Amino acid sequence: MENIIENNYKYLALRDAMISPNMKVNLLAVVVESGVPKKSKGTDYVCTLKIMDASHKDPGLSVNFFAEDMGKLPHVKSSGDIISLHHVMIKIHNGDVNAVFNKKYSSFALFGAEPSDDVNPYQISSKFKLTDNDKELITRLRTWLLDHQFDAGANAYLLQMREINAGRYFDLVCKILHVCEVPEHGWILFVWDGTDASPASFDTSLDDEAQNPLPLQLEHSPLSRDVLSTFPRVGTVLRIFAGKFFEELGLKSLGIGQWVKFRNIVCQLRSGLWHGLLTSSCRLRILSDEDTIVMQRQRFYSDRLTSGLDILPLSSFPWPSRTTETDYEGMTFSTLIDVLTHSKVTAIFKCAVRVVAIYPWRVDDFRSPVGTCVYRIRLTLEDPTARIHAYVYGDDGETFFNGYPPADVLTTKINKLLGITESNSSEDECNAPRNPPWVQCCIKSYYLDKSNPWETRRYKIFGTKLIG
DNA sequence: TTGGGG
């Protein structure tokens, strides 16, 4: 895209514009990331677009738009669209170059990027003068773009969900799967990128499991099966607590299924579950489904599904531990979201899970003190997609523990299952940090009340033996 | 005026 002179406007290559501080320039470029309009600290509304052209791709040029109402700001339909900017001011701030769209003397027009799109802009600001030459340049740029891909820009801050750490600010490209408003938390976003967040260690007391059981999810009431059924089979669904930033970032206007890039978000662990937080320093970018990074994430997910074994948690690679054996070695693995969303109440599954809590936790309490003295234990199982309670009961418990071993053997076995190491199990066993291994187990879904099967659905372990 | 990647 060489410099082109026409009747009224000389479009500068971004590279040349960016060495022209305090100059008013005209630019014809591709919008690679579009920010969301919001209220400025002054009297105006503001939004920031990032643009690129052949002369400057990385990291692109930020253009800050100001207008007295939101409707006058650019509303980019899709990243990759083309923008024509007339009389924008190049400025330098802290050594970085950006452009400013001034409502008094600047103007813009937005065009689709496809050669089949209208040669007329889909949005045009009041002062923009569209010339025949503009139309000619747009057509030429569209043709050029057929062979040249711009993306939303990977950078040092961009992480996949599998890479997130507590307390570290980062960017996340993700798909919005669900949004809900809860009284205590405000808005919660449910987002996904096809990878698994890394498993947590637990330092909560198992002694407390009766009064304060480890939660199955961060939202207070579990999502309905209808909602869960819309979630992908693999990959962590990260809960992002948006607070007041839900409205400020314009998240309200986004549709389910939209891919976005959150910039500068932070994650924390609560009860061993990852959640994201939005702050005033966060930014949101709306991405196209054709964005390079979006397509990478989607390809990763479809590869995981088609390669069979990769439905296993990423961190269980190459295989779950041999802490357990099942009677169904040939059975294909399911994820816990598969279990939760299965179309029938009665079903069997084999899953790779971690046992993150147990109740009761003292081996002396594993069996009922009265009557037939059967095992009755509640395990909290998790995989990257969900948590469930699963019971070890009666004969299935006899299989699980290989009969009725003495207390010290049982303790060794259960410590291994819970990831409690010998070194920290001696003194204060119930408070020892634990890092449960990935184990395979068979899960049976059943009901307690035939007249009300879905509401009384339970899960139990069967066909599974703890090696210990 | 405003905002401007960390």
Side-chain angles (χ1 to χ4, degrees):
Chain A
M1 289 186 285
E2 73 278 19
N3 299 348
I4 295 148
I5 298 169
E6 46 84 52
N7 297 341
N8 301 307
Y9 300 105
K10 175 187 178 185
Y11 285 107
L12 277 187
L14 288 193
R15 183 188 52 212
D16 297 332
M18 290 170 76
I19 52 170
S20 311
N22 304 314
M23 299 274 284
K24 284 179 198 167
V25 299
N26 307 310
L27 304 170
L28 186 66
V30 174
V31 182
V32 288
E33 297 184 9
S34 51
V36 179
K38 51 197 244 187
K39 199 117 183 50
S40 79
K41 285 197 186 119
T43 55
D44 285 336
Y45 288 86
V46 61
C47 77
T48 301
L49 304 187
K50 191 160 273 190
I51 62 174
M52 296 182 186
D53 73 3
S55 74
H56 178 78
K57 287 181 185 165
D58 191 30
L61 177 67
S62 286
V63 187
N64 301 310
F65 291 79
F66 298 99
E68 54 272 276
D69 63 75
M70 270 217 244
K72 290 180 176 161
L73 291 171
H75 293 270
V76 178
K77 285 186 182 169
S78 170
S79 64
D81 285 354
I82 296 165
I83 193 163
S84 170
L85 292 163
H86 293 170
H87 300 146
V88 292
M89 178 75 85
I90 300 295
K91 290 178 77 169
I92 295 183
H93 171 76
N94 289 344
D96 280 333
V97 185
N98 62 73
V100 177
F101 179 94
N102 186 300
K103 61 190 172 187
K104 293 195 184 73
Y105 54 73
S106 306
S107 61
F108 73 85
L110 278 165
F111 306 81
E114 298 299 322
S116 57
D117 285 336
D118 196 334
V119 290
N120 292 306
Y122 66 74
Q123 189 189 357
I124 188 163
S125 72
S126 58
K127 291 180 207 56
F128 192 88
K129 286 198 204 79
L130 184 68
T131 65
D132 286 342
N133 190 57
D134 281 325
K135 294 183 183 180
E136 168 66 23
L137 293 177
I138 294 292
T139 302
R140 281 167 56 184
L141 179 53
R142 283 171 172 167
T143 308
W144 186 86
L145 282 170
L146 289 175
D147 303 316
H148 297 82
Q149 177 71 46
F150 290 103
D151 63 53
N155 64 35
Y157 302 102
L158 186 66
L159 297 181
Q160 290 179 281
M161 223 177 280
R162 64 194 294 181
E163 302 167 307
I164 59 180
N165 311 114
R168 172 179 170 195
Y169 281 78
F170 67 100
D171 296 354
L172 184 70
V173 168
C174 56
K175 188 180 192 177
I176 297 179
L177 299 181
H178 182 63
V179 170
C180 71
E181 191 177 16
V182 288
E184 319 87 74
H185 291 115
W187 288 91
I188 306 177
L189 297 153
F190 296 75
V191 305
W192 169 93
D193 77 351
T195 69
D196 303 332
S198 61
S201 291
F202 295 84
D203 54 10
T204 53
S205 169
L206 284 169
D207 230 4
D208 213 19
E209 191 61 15
Q211 272 72 46
N212 283 309
L214 199 67
L216 298 184
Q217 69 279 317
L218 290 170
E219 57 278 11
H220 279 210
S221 54
L223 295 172
S224 71
R225 203 169 61 90
D226 283 348
V227 171
L228 291 175
S229 297
T230 67
F231 289 3
R233 289 189 62 207
V234 296
T236 299
V237 177
L238 182 74
R239 276 65 170 167
I240 297 181
F241 293 86
K244 62 176 179 174
F245 304 108
F246 188 76
E247 268 121 29
E248 284 192 12
L249 286 171
L251 284 157
K252 224 168 189 168
S253 63
L254 292 182
I256 298 306
Q258 176 69 54
W259 283 87
V260 296
K261 178 156 96 170
F262 285 104
R263 296 166 45 212
N264 221 29
I265 67 165
V266 68
C267 274
Q268 290 174 350
L269 278 167
R270 190 191 301 161
S271 304
L273 294 166
W274 287 102
H275 65 282
L277 293 169
L278 299 187
T279 69
S280 57
S281 65
C282 291
R283 298 286 183 270
L284 178 75
R285 303 282 180 182
I286 300 155
L287 303 182
S288 123
D289 290 354
E290 280 75 44
D291 179 90
T292 310
I293 297 167
V294 170
M295 292 202 296
Q296 278 170 10
R297 300 291 188 267
Q298 286 174 318
R299 199 173 312 120
F300 181 83
Y301 172 64
S302 57
D303 286 351
R304 278 189 89 177
L305 286 190
T306 52
S307 66
L309 277 182
D310 278 353
I311 202 165
L312 289 170
L314 297 175
S315 63
S316 74
F317 183 84
W319 197 251
S321 75
R322 303 304 300 179
T323 307
T324 59
E325 280 176 359
T326 74
D327 295 341
Y328 297 82
E329 290 301 320
M331 190 176 180
T332 55
F333 280 94
S334 299
T335 62
L336 291 181
I337 202 97
D338 291 332
V339 174
L340 286 171
T341 60
H342 194 73
S343 58
K344 295 189 178 72
V345 174
T346 309
I348 61 169
F349 308 90
K350 187 170 75 172
C351 298
V353 298
R354 304 165 78 218
V355 180
V356 292
I358 182 169
Y359 176 73
W361 79 274
R362 292 173 198 281
V363 295
D364 295 338
D365 299 327
F366 279 6
R367 293 163 64 190
S368 166
V370 294
T372 51
C373 301
V374 295
Y375 285 110
R376 79 280 184 275
I377 305 158
R378 187 188 71 196
L379 304 180
T380 306
L381 309 182
E382 77 165 24
D383 78 358
T385 67
R387 278 184 185 170
I388 63 169
H389 284 145
Y391 296 89
V392 178
Y393 187 79
D395 292 348
D396 294 321
E398 199 178 318
T399 306
F400 193 71
F401 294 112
N402 196 23
Y404 301 93
D408 59 327
V409 175
L410 214 47
T411 301
T412 305
K413 285 188 180 215
I414 210 70
N415 282 352
K416 196 168 172 190
L417 186 66
L418 290 164
I420 297 170
T421 56
E422 293 295 331
S423 59
N424 55 22
S425 67
S426 53
E427 281 292 299
D428 197 7
E429 217 165 293
C430 63
N431 291 317
R434 55 191 197 279
N435 186 17
W438 289 106
V439 299
Q440 49 179 318
C441 68
C442 295
I443 297 169
K444 184 174 283 176
S445 171
Y446 63 103
Y447 53 78
L448 299 177
D449 179 0
K450 196 169 188 175
S451 66
N452 198 9
W454 284 107
E455 277 65 40
T456 62
R457 181 169 59 156
R458 297 287 185 280
Y459 307 103
K460 63 180 179 181
I461 306 284
F462 78 102
T464 305
K465 180 183 283 186
L466 186 50
I467 304 300

